[in-house]
Amino acid sequence: MRFYFQLFWVFFKIGAFTFGGGYAMIPLIQREVVNKRKWLEEEEFIDMLAIAQSVPGPISLNTAVFVGNKLKKKRGSLVTGLGIILPSFIVILLIALVFTEFKDNPGVERVFKGIRPAVVALIAAPLWNMGKSAGVTWKSIWIPAAAALLIWQLGVSPIYVVMMAIVGGIIYYAYKRRRKI
């Protein structure tokens, strides 16, 4: 029972003190689960993160549920899922109650504009660390850059980019395997 509370509390704190959405939570989840508590190995976490990105739903919730499932099956998933969701639910409820009175306040607008660069940095830092852990080098940086440009400049659906990446990965590894033979 104590471990369930610990699981809940870890994910509740992450959910309560992270601004910027799911991707901003990833480095905090990684620090707690991999580095601090040693519940998962780094490679295991990266693999879990890849799966969490490819299934529907918020990445932070998916990651929390996968960690909970790995550690304590269904009950662990439920506990970590509630832990990561509950703070957002409470905050959104409170904001809905009072925000309508302050939404047009210039000071509030400036605060939200000031938070944006910090959110970008919170998303970029874990992406960089995951890239290093996954073996991404300066030579291979063109792949995510090309994907970003396809989506951003040409309006290609991210679904097509992911499908092209899957096909490209299969072809690449088939080619590498044949060259070894």
Side-chain angles (χ1 to χ4, degrees):
M1 193 67 166
R2 180 179 169 179
F3 187 71
Y4 288 111
F5 179 76
Q6 189 178 18
L7 272 175
F8 175 81
W9 186 244
V10 163
F11 284 92
F12 186 86
K13 287 188 305 185
I14 291 169
F17 297 108
T18 307
F19 295 97
Y23 283 100
M25 292 181 187
I26 298 304
L28 299 176
I29 294 173
Q30 184 176 14
R31 188 175 334 133
E32 285 289 328
V33 171
V34 176
N35 303 343
K36 187 175 178 185
R37 302 192 188 272
K38 309 272 191 235
W39 288 338
L40 298 175
E41 297 293 323
E42 176 117 13
E43 264 188 46
E44 196 174 23
F45 182 79
I46 297 295
D47 291 343
M48 195 177 292
L49 198 56
I51 295 168
Q53 287 177 319
S54 61
V55 297
I59 189 168
S60 57
L61 176 60
N62 292 344
T63 305
V65 167
F66 286 147
V67 169
N69 187 59
K70 173 72 176 164
L71 298 173
K72 289 290 185 179
K73 304 293 178 213
K74 289 180 186 176
R75 286 184 181 169
S77 294
L78 182 64
V79 167
T80 56
L82 281 174
I84 204 93
I85 288 174
L86 202 54
S88 297
F89 177 77
I90 293 168
V91 168
I92 288 171
L93 188 62
L94 293 173
I95 287 173
L97 293 172
V98 294
F99 188 67
T100 54
E101 295 178 34
F102 299 104
K103 69 179 180 181
D104 296 324
N105 184 319
V108 172
E109 287 179 24
R110 286 193 290 268
V111 166
F112 281 116
K113 285 182 182 176
I115 290 174
R116 288 180 191 160
V119 170
V120 170
L122 285 171
I123 292 170
L127 287 176
W128 179 257
N129 290 333
M130 283 188 299
K132 287 193 312 190
S133 297
V136 175
T137 63
W138 285 107
K139 291 179 186 176
S140 60
I141 200 76
W142 68 271
I143 297 170
L149 287 173
L150 282 171
I151 294 167
W152 178 45
Q153 290 294 318
L154 300 179
V156 176
S157 170
I159 294 170
Y160 295 129
V161 173
V162 169
M163 290 167 49
M164 288 186 299
I166 290 169
V167 170
I170 291 169
I171 292 169
Y172 175 74
Y173 282 104
Y175 172 75
K176 274 185 78 170
R177 190 178 318 159
R178 283 200 170 204
R179 289 194 40 125
K180 284 185 178 179
I181 296 175

